């Protein structure tokens, strides 16, 4: 089978699944789930076949043409797409499999699995797109499917509001993205990635504006400040949705897009991108340490790790050597995206296992003692926590996250200091989460009666992702095809590489400080140790967490709504009233006068006829 055919079947498989479910099995959740999982298996198999089969190709066809403007649909399958399709396929299949157990008793199971299939189709379209227009089409489909899945529990007001919030905030970023695409076409005459790589740049102002406008799309999808507010609320969706969309795939689409448009980047744009990622990483980590909801801890953790990736791209883009396919910034960002997809999906599915076992309890302070009730979940989540903390040589997170820290160390000391502090906070809130959830005595009836889920549907995906969270960092022979070099190759591109001993010491210090503080502040789960022992810091962090929502709420209520009311007043009084109704009244009045002239009398019509002759004579004679 030709590679293009494999790619086409891989792309269309989840679309066919969604259509079949929508047309025939909306009321049969079991069959719908089977079809959706089967399509996810096809995606995983097809993606891995393409990625590891050595297939690299470009293929396109013209979709439509309007005079000189033509839009194409095509595939660009290079090493970058190979990595991303492997991630989407593997993590997507694990999430589908986990969902069989998690959503077993859900009344709207068919709708849920149909939504998962639509999302998989949309995400694959972004990965395979060979131009910005095609990417934008699937970009919007991803937003639509995310809206459906976040709003799965549509009878809950909080879920409905969260889905609307996610949809609206992403539209803000997508508006800038669309303007950037149009400007890119206007300047370069193309939006095809291969052609853009060969195009010459425009003026300095335009060249800076284009990547920053395109970056607006990443601000929304990858939830970077100030468009980050939708992601924590999106935890209202089912936990498998959080694992698939808000940890491994959709939020990673912004990072993938940045790496796709790396050829358009200039120094000024990279500085902005670097600082946006750095500030987001720190802010989200500070917010995570005061969360009680286990899923929201992981949501803010995702924000923070996405900030690492964005910062890495801004730090190292443009720094390449002759043997590298991508710059060191793009390579480091995609490397961390890969490992993060594994361990964060593991943590989210682990939290789903906990929530399912505790009868949908999500407050960590009402858990405790679950290591005895759910040992497999406890061990796999511990592996995920060590991975995000960066345990040297044992977990995947060490290889990717510490590569970013080292890149910051040798390129921007200020960013390095902020990211190191963020790493300490990361270890703090992960140890806090794991200890409150699994150690001590049960603190609620739900925790006392907790239990593991089924092995094939809920435990096996955790095991697979735990293995990937350990070995996913050894890229040579596993993920090395992405960059054309292994982990050491990434480090060799970083200017003035330090000794590995220093990196290991730094990583161990981060783990020791962050983990030690969490262990001391939370001797038991009866109360929040940070709130009782450092109340001032807890109050400040709580206020920081709520500040953006309060600012946006104030803006909407006091500015946007009032401006909308002013526009409505202008529309009702001036436009609809004076202009529309006024003109209509004038025409009606004229009609009444003209109708009054038709009296049905021949004598009256003779007078009007004579008057008309006089006026015509006056006009012809120049009197008027």
């Amino acid at each position: 089978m030709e590679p293009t055919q494999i790619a086409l079947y891989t792309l269309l498989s989840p679309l066919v699944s969604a259509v079949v479910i929508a047309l025939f099995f909306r009321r049969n959740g079991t069959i719908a789930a089977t079809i959706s999982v089967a399509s996810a298996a096809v995606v995983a198999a097809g993606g891995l076949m393409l990625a590891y089969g050595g297939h690299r190709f470009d293929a396109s066809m013209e979709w439509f043409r309007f005079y000189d403007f033509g839009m194409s649909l095509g595939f660009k399958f290079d090493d970058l797409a190979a990595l991303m399709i492997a991630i989407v396929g593997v993590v997507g299949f694990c999430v589908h499999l986990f969902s069989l157990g998690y959503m077993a008793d859900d009344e709207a199971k068919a709708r849920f699995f149909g939504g998962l299939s639509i999302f998989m189709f949309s995400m694959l379209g972004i990965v395979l797109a060979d131009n910005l227009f095609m990417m934008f089409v699937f970009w919007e489909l991803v937003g639509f499917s995310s809206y459906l899945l976040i709003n799965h529990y549509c009878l809950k007001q909080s879920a409905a509001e969260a889905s609307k919030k996610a949809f609206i905030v992403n539209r803000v970023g997508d508006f800038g993205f669309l303007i950037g695409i149009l400007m890119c076409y206007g300047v370069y005459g193309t939006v095809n990635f291969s052609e853009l790589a060969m195009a010459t740049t425009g003026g300095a102002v335009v060249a800076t504006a284009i990547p920053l406008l395109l970056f607006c799309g990443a601000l929304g999808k990858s939830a970077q400040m100030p468009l980050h507010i939708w992601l924590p609320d999106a935890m209202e969706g089912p936990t498998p949705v959080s694992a698939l969309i808000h940890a491994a795939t959709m939020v990673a689409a912004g990072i993938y897009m940045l790496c796709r448009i790396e050829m358009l980047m200039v120094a000024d744009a990279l500085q902005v991108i670097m600082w946006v990622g750095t500030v987001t990483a720190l802010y989200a980590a500070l917010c995570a340490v005061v969360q009680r909801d286990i899923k929201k801890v992981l949501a803010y953790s995702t924000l923070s790790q996405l900030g690492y990736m964005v910062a890495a791209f801004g730090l190292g883009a443009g720094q390449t050597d002759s043997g590298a396919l991508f710059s060191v910034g793009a390579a480091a960002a995609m490397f961390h995206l890969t490992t993060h997809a594994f361990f964060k999906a593991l943590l989210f599915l682990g939290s789903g296992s906990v929530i399912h076992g505790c009868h949908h309890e999500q407050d960590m302070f009402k858990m405790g003692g679950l290591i005895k009730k759910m040992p497999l979940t406890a061990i796999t989540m511990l592996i995920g926590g060590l991975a995000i903390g960066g345990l040297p040589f044992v977990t995947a997170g060490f290889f990717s996250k510490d590569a970013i820290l080292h890149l910051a160390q040798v390129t921007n000391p200020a960013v390095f200091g902020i990211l190191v502090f963020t790493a300490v906070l990361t270890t703090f809130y992960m140890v806090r989460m794991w200890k409150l959830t699994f150690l001590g005595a049960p603190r609620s009836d739900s925790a006392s009666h907790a239990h593991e889920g089924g092995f094939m549907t809920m435990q096996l995906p955790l095991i697979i992702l735990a293995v990937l969270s350990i070995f996913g960092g050894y890229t040579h022979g596993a993920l090395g095809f992405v960059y054309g070099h292994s982990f050491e190759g990434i480090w060799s591109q970083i200017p003035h590489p330090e000794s590995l001993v220093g990196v290991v010491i730094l990583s161990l210090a981060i783990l020791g400080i962050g983990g030690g503080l969490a262990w001391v502040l939370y001797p038991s789960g009866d109360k929040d140790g940070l709130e009782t022992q450092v109340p001032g810091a807890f109050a400040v962090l709580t206020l920081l967490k709520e500040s953006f929502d309060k600012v946006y709420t104030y803006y909407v209520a006091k500015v946007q709504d009032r401006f909308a009311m002013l526009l409505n007043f202008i529309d009702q009084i001036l436009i609809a009233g004076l202009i529309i109704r006024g003109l209509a009244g004038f025409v009606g009045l004229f009609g009444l006068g003209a109708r009054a002239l038709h009296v049905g009398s021949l004598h009256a019509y003779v007078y009007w006829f004579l008057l008309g002759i006089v006026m015509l004579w006056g006009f012809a004679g120049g009197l008027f």
Side-chain angles (χ1 to χ4, degrees), residues 1-12 42 45-47 49-50 55 57 75:
M1 189 181 297
E2 292 294 323
T4 51
Q5 291 179 306
I6 298 175
L8 188 61
Y9 294 152
T10 303
L11 173 65
L12 295 181
V42 171
M49 190 184 305
L50 288 168
H55 304 299
F57 56 88
F75 296 154

Side-chain angles (χ1 to χ4, degrees), residues 370-553:
L370 297 185
I371 193 169
K372 298 177 182 178
K373 306 284 186 178
M374 309 176 70
L376 180 67
T377 301
I379 293 170
T380 52
M381 286 195 73
L382 177 62
I383 293 172
L386 292 173
I388 195 174
L391 184 63
F393 302 112
V394 178
T395 59
F398 164 74
F399 295 108
S400 60
K401 191 175 77 172
D402 283 77
I404 294 175
L405 291 178
H406 186 61
L407 174 61
Q409 181 183 8
V410 297
T411 54
N412 193 311
V415 172
F416 171 70
I418 295 173
L419 293 183
V420 167
F421 180 60
T422 302
V424 173
L425 293 174
T426 301
T427 306
F428 177 88
Y429 64 68
M430 290 308 301
V431 171
R432 169 182 178 267
M433 182 191 75
W434 194 84
K435 187 178 182 183
L436 288 174
T437 303
F438 295 105
L439 299 186
R443 294 183 292 276
S444 68
D445 186 63
S446 298
S448 300
H449 296 88
H451 58 85
E452 293 275 20
F455 178 79
M456 287 301 296
T457 56
M458 297 189 69
Q459 296 183 45
L460 182 60
L462 296 179
I463 295 172
I464 294 171
L465 291 170
V467 171
L468 291 172
S469 297
I470 295 173
F471 296 105
Y474 294 92
T475 60
H476 185 69
L479 296 171
F481 68 88
V482 179
Y483 314 112
H485 47 69
S486 63
F487 157 69
E488 292 81 7
I490 296 173
W491 282 69
S492 68
Q493 294 184 71
I494 301 174
H496 314 297
E498 302 289 336
S499 66
L500 193 58
V501 175
V503 177
V504 172
I505 292 174
L506 176 63
S507 183
L508 290 175
I510 290 171
L511 284 168
I513 295 171
L517 283 173
W519 204 267
V520 170
L521 282 174
Y522 293 90
S524 67
D526 297 331
K527 51 190 174 182
D528 194 317
L530 184 64
E531 183 178 11
T532 56
Q533 298 186 44
V534 197
F538 184 86
V540 170
L541 293 178
T542 303
L543 180 63
L544 180 67
K545 173 178 69 72
E546 299 171 351
S547 59
F548 276 88
D549 277 313
K550 288 183 177 179
V551 169
Y552 284 133
T553 301

Side-chain angles (χ1 to χ4, degrees), residues 79 156 204 243 347 402 440 489 510 520 611:
D79 292 334
K156 286 177 58 179
L347 288 167
D402 283 77
I510 290 171
V520 170
L611 179 62

Side-chain angles (χ1 to χ4, degrees), residues 121-198:
F121 166 69
S122 307
M123 192 66 207
L124 288 171
I126 291 177
V127 173
L128 295 171
D130 73 338
N131 65 82
L132 283 169
F133 280 134
M134 178 179 172
M135 178 177 279
F136 185 78
V137 171
F138 285 100
W139 195 270
E140 294 303 299
L141 281 174
V142 162
F144 165 72
S145 54
S146 173
Y147 168 82
L148 290 179
L149 291 169
I150 295 171
N151 196 30
H152 177 72
Y153 301 124
C154 53
L155 298 181
K156 286 177 58 179
Q157 184 64 28
S158 57
E161 292 176 353
S163 61
K164 288 189 293 184
K165 188 176 185 179
F167 191 82
I168 293 170
V169 171
N170 273 277
R171 297 293 73 71
V172 175
D174 293 352
F175 180 68
F177 187 29
L178 180 59
I179 294 175
I181 294 173
L182 297 176
M183 185 177 273
C184 182
Y185 183 83
V187 172
Y188 301 110
T190 182
V191 290
N192 182 275
F193 297 127
S194 299
E195 294 174 1
L196 282 173
M198 298 182 290

